[in-house]
Every structure is written in C-alpha cells, then in structure tokens.
CSV table of all heavy atoms in Angstrom, one decimal:
chain,number,residue,atom,x,y,z
A,1,CYS,N,0.9,-1.2,0.0
A,1,CYS,CA,0.0,0.0,0.0
A,1,CYS,C,0.9,1.2,0.0
A,1,CYS,O,1.1,1.9,1.0
A,1,CYS,CB,-0.9,0.0,1.2
A,1,CYS,SG,-2.1,1.4,1.3
A,2,TRP,N,1.4,1.6,-1.2
A,2,TRP,CA,2.2,2.8,-1.3
A,2,TRP,C,1.4,4.1,-1.2
A,2,TRP,O,1.9,5.2,-1.2
A,2,TRP,CB,3.0,2.8,-2.6
A,2,TRP,CG,3.9,1.6,-2.7
A,2,TRP,CD1,3.8,0.6,-3.6
A,2,TRP,CD2,5.1,1.3,-1.9
A,2,TRP,NE1,4.8,-0.3,-3.4
A,2,TRP,CE2,5.6,0.0,-2.4
A,2,TRP,CE3,5.7,1.9,-0.8
A,2,TRP,CZ2,6.7,-0.6,-1.8
A,2,TRP,CZ3,6.8,1.2,-0.2
A,2,TRP,CH2,7.3,0.0,-0.7
A,3,SER,N,0.1,3.9,-1.1
A,3,SER,CA,-0.8,5.0,-0.9
A,3,SER,C,-0.6,5.7,0.4
A,3,SER,O,-0.8,6.9,0.5
A,3,SER,CB,-2.3,4.6,-1.0
A,3,SER,OG,-2.6,4.0,-2.2
A,4,ILE,N,0.0,5.0,1.3
A,4,ILE,CA,0.3,5.7,2.6
A,4,ILE,C,1.4,6.7,2.4
A,4,ILE,O,1.4,7.7,3.1
A,4,ILE,CB,0.8,4.6,3.6
A,4,ILE,CG1,0.9,5.2,5.0
A,4,ILE,CG2,2.1,4.0,3.2
A,4,ILE,CD1,1.3,4.3,6.1
A,5,ILE,N,2.2,6.6,1.4
A,5,ILE,CA,3.2,7.6,1.2
A,5,ILE,C,2.7,8.7,0.3
A,5,ILE,O,2.8,9.9,0.7
A,5,ILE,CB,4.4,7.0,0.4
A,5,ILE,CG1,5.0,5.7,1.2
A,5,ILE,CG2,5.5,8.0,0.2
A,5,ILE,CD1,5.5,6.1,2.6
A,6,SER,N,1.9,8.4,-0.7
A,6,SER,CA,1.4,9.4,-1.6
A,6,SER,C,0.3,10.3,-0.9
A,6,SER,O,0.1,11.4,-1.2
A,6,SER,CB,0.8,8.8,-2.9
A,6,SER,OG,-0.2,7.9,-2.5
A,7,SER,N,-0.3,9.7,0.1
A,7,SER,CA,-1.3,10.4,0.9
A,7,SER,C,-0.8,11.3,2.0
A,7,SER,O,-1.4,12.2,2.4
A,7,SER,CB,-2.4,9.5,1.4
A,7,SER,OG,-3.1,8.8,0.3
A,8,ASN,N,0.4,10.9,2.5
A,8,ASN,CA,0.9,11.5,3.8
A,8,ASN,C,2.3,12.0,3.6
A,8,ASN,O,3.0,12.2,4.6
A,8,ASN,CB,0.8,10.5,4.9
A,8,ASN,CG,-0.6,9.9,5.2
A,8,ASN,OD1,-1.4,10.6,5.8
A,8,ASN,ND2,-0.8,8.7,4.7
A,9,TYR,N,2.8,12.2,2.4
A,9,TYR,CA,4.2,12.5,2.3
A,9,TYR,C,4.5,13.9,2.9
A,9,TYR,O,5.6,14.2,3.4
A,9,TYR,CB,4.6,12.5,0.8
A,9,TYR,CG,4.0,13.6,-0.1
A,9,TYR,CD1,4.6,14.8,-0.3
A,9,TYR,CD2,2.7,13.4,-0.6
A,9,TYR,CE1,4.1,15.8,-1.0
A,9,TYR,CE2,2.2,14.4,-1.4
A,9,TYR,CZ,2.8,15.6,-1.6
A,9,TYR,OH,2.3,16.6,-2.4
A,10,LYS,N,3.5,14.8,2.9
A,10,LYS,CA,3.7,16.1,3.5
A,10,LYS,C,4.0,16.0,5.0
A,10,LYS,O,4.9,16.6,5.6
A,10,LYS,CB,2.6,17.0,3.2
A,10,LYS,CG,2.4,17.4,1.8
A,10,LYS,CD,1.2,18.4,1.6
A,10,LYS,CE,1.1,18.7,0.1
A,10,LYS,NZ,-0.1,19.7,-0.1
A,11,ILE,N,3.2,15.1,5.7
A,11,ILE,CA,3.4,14.9,7.1
A,11,ILE,C,4.7,14.2,7.4
A,11,ILE,O,5.4,14.5,8.3
A,11,ILE,CB,2.2,14.2,7.7
A,11,ILE,CG1,0.9,15.0,7.6
A,11,ILE,CG2,2.4,13.8,9.2
A,11,ILE,CD1,0.9,16.3,8.4
A,12,ILE,N,4.9,13.2,6.6
A,12,ILE,CA,6.2,12.3,6.8
A,12,ILE,C,7.4,13.2,6.6
A,12,ILE,O,8.4,13.1,7.4
A,12,ILE,CB,6.1,11.1,5.9
A,12,ILE,CG1,5.0,10.2,6.3
A,12,ILE,CG2,7.5,10.4,6.0
A,12,ILE,CD1,4.8,9.0,5.3
A,13,LEU,N,7.4,14.0,5.5
A,13,LEU,CA,8.7,14.7,5.2
A,13,LEU,C,8.8,16.0,5.9
A,13,LEU,O,9.9,16.5,6.2
A,13,LEU,CB,8.7,15.0,3.7
A,13,LEU,CG,8.8,13.7,2.8
A,13,LEU,CD1,8.8,14.1,1.3
A,13,LEU,CD2,10.1,12.9,3.1
A,14,PHE,N,7.7,16.7,6.3
A,14,PHE,CA,7.8,18.0,6.9
A,14,PHE,C,7.1,18.1,8.2
A,14,PHE,O,7.1,19.2,8.8
A,14,PHE,CB,7.2,19.0,5.9
A,14,PHE,CG,7.9,19.0,4.6
A,14,PHE,CD1,7.2,18.5,3.5
A,14,PHE,CD2,9.1,19.5,4.4
A,14,PHE,CE1,7.8,18.4,2.2
A,14,PHE,CE2,9.7,19.5,3.1
A,14,PHE,CZ,9.1,19.0,2.1
A,15,GLY,N,6.6,17.1,8.8
A,15,GLY,CA,6.0,17.1,10.1
A,15,GLY,C,4.8,18.1,10.2
A,15,GLY,O,4.0,18.1,9.3
A,16,PHE,N,4.9,19.0,11.2
A,16,PHE,CA,3.8,19.9,11.4
A,16,PHE,C,4.1,21.3,10.9
A,16,PHE,O,3.4,22.3,11.3
A,16,PHE,CB,3.5,20.0,12.9
A,16,PHE,CG,3.1,18.6,13.5
A,16,PHE,CD1,3.9,18.0,14.4
A,16,PHE,CD2,1.9,18.1,13.2
A,16,PHE,CE1,3.6,16.7,14.9
A,16,PHE,CE2,1.5,16.8,13.7
A,16,PHE,CZ,2.3,16.2,14.6
A,17,TYR,N,5.0,21.4,10.0
A,17,TYR,CA,5.3,22.7,9.4
A,17,TYR,C,4.0,23.1,8.6
A,17,TYR,O,3.4,22.2,7.9
A,17,TYR,CB,6.5,22.5,8.4
A,17,TYR,CG,7.2,23.8,8.1
A,17,TYR,CD1,8.3,24.3,8.9
A,17,TYR,CD2,6.8,24.7,7.1
A,17,TYR,CE1,8.9,25.4,8.6
A,17,TYR,CE2,7.4,25.9,6.8
A,17,TYR,CZ,8.5,26.2,7.6
A,17,TYR,OH,9.1,27.4,7.3
A,18,PRO,N,3.6,24.3,8.7
A,18,PRO,CA,2.4,24.8,8.0
A,18,PRO,C,2.4,24.4,6.5
A,18,PRO,O,3.3,24.7,5.8
A,18,PRO,CB,2.4,26.3,8.1
A,18,PRO,CG,3.2,26.5,9.4
A,18,PRO,CD,4.2,25.4,9.4
A,19,GLN,N,1.4,23.6,6.1
A,19,GLN,CA,1.4,23.1,4.7
A,19,GLN,C,1.2,24.1,3.6
A,19,GLN,O,1.5,23.8,2.5
A,19,GLN,CB,0.3,22.0,4.6
A,19,GLN,CG,0.6,20.8,5.5
A,19,GLN,CD,-0.3,19.6,5.2
A,19,GLN,OE1,-1.1,19.6,4.2
A,19,GLN,NE2,-0.2,18.6,6.0
A,20,ASP,N,0.6,25.3,4.0
A,20,ASP,CA,0.4,26.3,3.0
A,20,ASP,C,1.7,27.0,2.6
A,20,ASP,O,1.7,27.8,1.6
A,20,ASP,CB,-0.7,27.3,3.4
A,20,ASP,CG,-0.3,27.9,4.7
A,20,ASP,OD1,0.4,27.3,5.5
A,20,ASP,OD2,-0.7,29.1,5.0
A,21,ILE,N,2.8,26.8,3.3
A,21,ILE,CA,4.1,27.5,3.0
A,21,ILE,C,5.2,26.4,2.9
A,21,ILE,O,6.3,26.7,3.3
A,21,ILE,CB,4.4,28.5,4.1
A,21,ILE,CG1,4.4,28.0,5.5
A,21,ILE,CG2,3.5,29.7,4.0
A,21,ILE,CD1,4.8,28.9,6.6
A,22,LEU,N,4.9,25.3,2.4
A,22,LEU,CA,5.9,24.2,2.3
A,22,LEU,C,6.9,24.5,1.3
A,22,LEU,O,8.0,23.9,1.2
A,22,LEU,CB,5.2,22.9,2.0
A,22,LEU,CG,4.4,22.2,3.1
A,22,LEU,CD1,3.9,20.8,2.6
A,22,LEU,CD2,5.3,21.9,4.3
A,23,TRP,N,6.7,25.6,0.5
A,23,TRP,CA,7.7,25.9,-0.5
A,23,TRP,C,9.0,26.4,0.2
A,23,TRP,O,10.1,26.3,-0.4
A,23,TRP,CB,7.1,27.0,-1.4
A,23,TRP,CG,6.9,28.3,-0.7
A,23,TRP,CD1,5.7,28.7,-0.2
A,23,TRP,CD2,7.8,29.4,-0.6
A,23,TRP,NE1,5.8,30.0,0.4
A,23,TRP,CE2,7.1,30.4,0.1
A,23,TRP,CE3,9.1,29.6,-0.9
A,23,TRP,CZ2,7.7,31.6,0.5
A,23,TRP,CZ3,9.8,30.8,-0.6
A,23,TRP,CH2,9.0,31.8,0.1
A,24,ARG,N,8.8,26.9,1.4
A,24,ARG,CA,10.0,27.4,2.1
A,24,ARG,C,11.0,26.3,2.5
A,24,ARG,O,12.2,26.3,2.2
A,24,ARG,CB,9.6,28.3,3.3
A,24,ARG,CG,9.0,29.6,2.9
A,24,ARG,CD,8.2,30.3,3.9
A,24,ARG,NE,8.8,30.4,5.2
A,24,ARG,CZ,8.2,31.0,6.3
A,24,ARG,NH1,7.0,31.5,6.1
A,24,ARG,NH2,8.8,31.0,7.4
A,25,PRO,N,10.5,25.2,3.2
A,25,PRO,CA,11.4,24.1,3.5
A,25,PRO,C,11.9,23.4,2.2
A,25,PRO,O,13.1,22.9,2.2
A,25,PRO,CB,10.6,23.2,4.4
A,25,PRO,CG,9.2,23.6,4.2
A,25,PRO,CD,9.2,25.0,3.8
A,26,VAL,N,11.1,23.3,1.2
A,26,VAL,CA,11.5,22.7,0.0
A,26,VAL,C,12.6,23.5,-0.6
A,26,VAL,O,13.6,22.9,-1.1
A,26,VAL,CB,10.3,22.5,-1.0
A,26,VAL,CG1,10.8,22.1,-2.4
A,26,VAL,CG2,9.3,21.5,-0.5
A,27,THR,N,12.5,24.8,-0.7
A,27,THR,CA,13.6,25.6,-1.2
A,27,THR,C,14.9,25.5,-0.4
A,27,THR,O,16.0,25.4,-1.0
A,27,THR,CB,13.1,27.1,-1.2
A,27,THR,OG1,11.9,27.2,-2.0
A,27,THR,CG2,14.2,28.0,-1.8
A,28,ALA,N,14.7,25.4,0.9
A,28,ALA,CA,15.9,25.3,1.8
A,28,ALA,C,16.6,23.9,1.5
A,28,ALA,O,17.8,23.9,1.5
A,28,ALA,CB,15.5,25.4,3.2
A,29,ILE,N,15.8,22.9,1.4
A,29,ILE,CA,16.4,21.6,1.1
A,29,ILE,C,17.1,21.5,-0.3
A,29,ILE,O,18.2,21.0,-0.4
A,29,ILE,CB,15.3,20.5,1.2
A,29,ILE,CG1,14.8,20.4,2.7
A,29,ILE,CG2,15.9,19.1,0.7
A,29,ILE,CD1,13.7,19.4,2.8
C-alpha cells in the first residue's frame, strides 16, 4: 500500500510545518 506515502508525504517529510508554506522548506532543502 504505497498510498500511505502518496497520501501522507507532507506529514512524513515535513512534520507539522504549515502546509500552505511548504515551498520554504522545499527551497531550503
């Protein structure tokens, strides 16, 4: 069930960082 990754990758990769501004940690990485 790889759907667990495609459905929750934002939580898994970025934790509780506000999801509406995820471009900031992505840019930093």
Side-chain angles (χ1 to χ4, degrees):
C1 182
W2 301 115
S3 300
I4 187 176
I5 306 300
S6 57
S7 300
N8 302 284
Y9 70 93
K10 292 182 180 180
I11 296 296
I12 294 175
L13 294 179
F14 303 105
F16 300 108
Y17 203 93
Q19 296 192 6
D20 57 332
I21 52 174
L22 286 182
W23 66 268
R24 286 160 52 177
V26 170
T27 304
I29 292 173

